[in-house]
Amino acid sequence: MSKEELLSKILNERSYYPECERKGVEQRREELLAWDKKYNEINEYYNVWGFDRAGFMDMDKYLDHGIFRKQRYEINSRFMCYGDAFPTNYTVVMRDKSLFEALVSQLLNDEKKYVKSYAFFKGYQYLPNEGVFEQRKEDTFEKLCERHEGEKLVFKRATGCSGLSVHICKIEDGRLFTASSTRGGMSPADYLGTILHPNATWMIQPFVKQHIFMEGLNPDTVNIIRIVTFHTGKRVFSVQPMLVYSRGDTEVCNSDQGSYYVGIGENGIIERKAIDRMASCLVDCPVGGQKLPYFEEIKELVQTIHKGLPELFTVGWDVALTPDGPLVFEGNDGWCPYVSEWNDETALRPIWDAALFERKNYYNNKE
């Protein structure tokens, strides 16, 4: 979509805040063009953030996307250890989910706090995960399916993103059924033939049983908490968690695929209105006004992991909530700010600038 087309789309989009007086179309156009001149982008979240409301002027408190992404990538991907001749890129630990699983298994040493894979396919080679099976050498994918008869398995591409390479299968009578399966389903071998590639790594994981609180949002999808942490060298802290829950027409919970997302306050109380990007409006959140269970434990969990990876400045975490507490799904060095900025009090530019300054000052002065 060209800038002109995006500009027109945003100007013609309805307000997310119809109860508020709206700026005139020409003022909105001028502000969008001024943002483009300053940041070289049309702000596609202009209406989401409520910039279209009359009297709203302090837009620079919010993160742009172009400059922010450049800063985020450079500081996350170039860590210069003291005494080294070349910088190291630690983002690979986040971007390869199999490496991420290996990392958190060492940092947490508690399989109830992260999603542990049953097995991996590296190319066409089947590799049961160490410690999961009693007789590892004899295990096969077919035996795995037998062991989980009547259950769901999740197939996740180790380097996939935005939930686009995640597949969920139900095993019934030894056959695998997906949301789009034909009546008879597929045999284990036939199913693998639809996803495997000699250069790809796939992870086979359990379908997580979520907390009853989260089931009230969508029982067929594992809904998640998104929370961002910063590591300045001196300290680790988290900001603006969001609850992301799936629409009824998808099995994968991901904001890029149209899920709802709603802010969680510092006290753990969930905002009453969720953002629906597909319908360009706010909707009532089914659990709005309630406190998220295990809220403090969620923050402690992601901060504990990030403390063990000081090479990365900032990470956006995906956390599930089970009956036993929080469970880490993955970390994203390429998190997007729009999921974490939902009102004036949560604008991230001041927090980002201060944390970035603290990080650079700490490492520039470190002996």
Side-chain angles (χ1 to χ4, degrees), residues 330-356:
E330 59 185 55
N332 304 279
D333 67 280
W335 61 272
C336 184
Y338 79 81
V339 181
S340 298
E341 297 177 291
W342 67 90
N343 61 26
D344 301 359
E345 289 74 32
T346 60
L348 279 173
R349 172 61 69 187
I351 296 173
W352 174 267
D353 288 345
L356 192 62

Side-chain angles (χ1 to χ4, degrees), residues 191-210:
Y191 176 75
L192 291 179
T194 67
I195 67 170
L196 290 189
H197 186 279
N199 296 326
T201 296
W202 284 84
M203 308 163 71
I204 307 174
Q205 298 178 335
F207 188 83
V208 173
K209 178 175 175 55
Q210 58 185 341

Side-chain angles (χ1 to χ4, degrees), residues 211 291-299 321-326:
H211 194 282
K291 183 167 183 177
L292 182 70
Y294 295 104
F295 180 64
E296 294 301 326
E297 288 88 342
I298 292 169
K299 293 192 293 184
L321 199 58
T322 76
D324 297 322

Side-chain angles (χ1 to χ4, degrees), residues 26-50:
E26 287 306 316
Q27 182 179 357
R28 286 185 276 132
R29 183 192 305 275
E30 289 176 4
E31 290 180 353
L32 282 161
L33 292 175
W35 185 280
D36 182 35
K37 183 177 181 180
K38 186 170 186 177
Y39 298 114
N40 192 31
E41 66 181 17
I42 299 296
N43 187 347
E44 58 183 301
Y45 306 106
Y46 180 89
N47 294 322
V48 179
W49 290 336

